[in-house]
Amino acid sequence: MGCGNVCSDDKPHAKKPERKPELRKQKTNSKLLLGPAFSEQELFNSDPSLLNSDAMKHKIKEWEKMARGRDGKGTVSTEEGLRQYFDSRREEFLNKLKEGPPPRYRWAAWKTALQTSQVFTKDLYQSLISQEKRKTAKWLNAIKADTHRTYPERFAEQKDLKVSVMEKLENVLVAISIYNPDIGYCQGMNFIVAFMLFISDMKEEEVFWTFIAFTKDTLKHDPLHIDGADGLYNDKFPKMDFLMKCFDNAFARNVGDLKKYLDEIAFPNMLWVYKWIFILFLLSFPFAYCLRFWDYIFGYGLSGILRLSLGLSLIHISEPTRLGMISYAVFCLKKKKKKK
């Protein structure tokens, strides 16, 4: 009797049925916090002790030093200090951003990497959301419909907060649609803007200019020299098509058999990776993951979306339980290979 057989009888064991991979849902906390507390809640809820770890204390000291400004005396605001650090040590700043800033510095770090201050125009935002301007907003009805469909599960016990978030979300989306009529509004932008509102502690004007900076050519450190994200959302989505072609080529090189199988069963990218790129992973992965994904995207450049998409695909193909519908395709491909 081998050491692996621990049963007292000699009857053969019944073969366990092969289990299909489960589609895991994002866990949500009942109460939504905002600003740095939002990052802390999402990233450290499973182990709050990490917030007080030596590694986190060291990281906070590093960012405190970065935020003191050029003279190192802390005579400027945190944002100005980070801008000065970015201007003098850009590569070092971006590397630290990709590693993940402490929650209290995340929003300022994102704005710095996107160079939001370069697109800011004083008093323009208030003009864009004025009642006079809103009456001319082409996309107002679509925006109103979508704001109430944005993360409804996050406000189950906070109706007053929901009203406030929805109002600010509508304002920002209306302002974007008027400011850049080539983009206007399309579904998906509401989730991105709402996420920014959570991180920024509801600073709607900052969120507006940060989104505008994201759509412009501010991520000049991108290694593929992909300019702003406007092409993800404007007419005919040209940048989306470009990114999808890049992904398909890289995916085929790395997992050709899976790519071939997906083509055979007419499994469109629209059902998985298109959604990742278009909404920057927000509806497919927990917020804790998305916080770190966005750190990487803003630190690396827009092509960081491609690197993340390919990396996530390859990581989960061996255990594809978090990829939504793609996981079932991988499961079917494995069964097909076993039958041959």
Side-chain angles (χ1 to χ4, degrees), residues 204-223:
E204 59 179 284
E205 184 172 7
E206 291 186 14
V207 168
F208 167 75
W209 287 114
T210 301
F211 184 89
I212 294 301
F214 180 56
T215 63
K216 292 183 177 293
D217 186 16
T218 55
L219 291 171
K220 297 182 185 296
H221 47 276
D222 186 272

Side-chain angles (χ1 to χ4, degrees), residues 264-303:
E264 285 177 3
I265 63 174
F267 191 92
N269 286 333
M270 180 71 73
L271 294 178
W272 61 297
V273 72
Y274 190 99
K275 183 178 178 181
W276 293 359
I277 295 174
F278 191 68
I279 313 180
L280 303 183
F281 307 98
L282 284 171
L283 295 184
S284 302
F285 294 89
F287 282 164
Y289 289 22
C290 294
L291 285 164
R292 294 293 294 114
F293 293 166
W294 284 34
D295 291 341
Y296 185 81
I297 292 167
F298 297 151
Y300 187 87
L302 203 61
S303 61

